[in-house]
Amino acid sequence: MSTKNQILLHETLLPVKATTASISCFASTLIAIMIVRSRNGLKSPYSRIIFGLSIADIIQSASIITSPFAAPNDTLDAPWAKGTIGTCEVAGFFLQVGGTAVPFYTLFLSYYFLKRVKDKITPQAFASKYEFKIYVLIWIFPIIGGFVALAR
């Protein structure tokens, strides 16, 4: 595929990426609001995991939406570029944080149900034994990775 065809394909897919990311961001925002406004709110590990997953997806989706505009305006193959190197780095940081946290939260949700089904652990026991440590790992790892990328 020639460079011209690659640029054309990239330009064609930009609206598709922005649209799907917008839908994802909107849906995750609704989920987060519904959890916070529900009668039980963030009282169970399950609702906290889904809430965290929604927040991570909002970060990732918002970064996907803004990244085409955040690229420096003199970038040749970025037709929507309006930003600077700084805005591009900020968008990349948040894309890295959200893009790393989303699969971690998915893994966390699977681990939660594994412990509930296999080991018959109660939500309260799971919360006291595992939850905080996993949240720290989920957020520290991508944030440190993002800062390392920014430093390079």
Side-chain angles (χ1 to χ4, degrees), residues 26 35 37-38 44 71 73 75 99 133-134:
F26 178 73
I35 290 171
R37 296 185 71 195
S38 72
S44 73
N73 59 5
T75 305
K133 296 172 198 170
I134 295 173

Side-chain angles (χ1 to χ4, degrees), residues 12 39 58-59 61 103 124 148 151:
T12 305
R39 186 169 43 90
I58 291 166
I59 293 169
S61 299
Q124 296 79 15
V148 167

Side-chain angles (χ1 to χ4, degrees), residues 42-50 112 123-124 126-127 131 135:
L42 296 169
K43 291 181 182 174
S44 73
Y46 174 76
S47 63
R48 289 189 294 268
I49 294 168
I50 296 299
Y112 172 71
Q124 296 79 15
F126 182 86
E131 196 171 4
Y135 284 128

Side-chain angles (χ1 to χ4, degrees), residues 4-16 76-80:
K4 185 176 180 180
N5 287 342
Q6 286 176 331
I7 292 172
L8 183 61
L9 178 64
H10 179 68
E11 289 176 9
T12 305
L13 292 178
L14 277 175
V16 174
L76 295 176
D77 58 347
W80 295 359

Side-chain angles (χ1 to χ4, degrees), residues 22-41:
S22 297
I23 293 167
S24 180
C25 188
F26 178 73
S28 290
T29 302
L30 283 179
I31 291 168
I33 290 169
M34 288 172 59
I35 290 171
V36 170
R37 296 185 71 195
S38 72
R39 186 169 43 90
N40 292 328

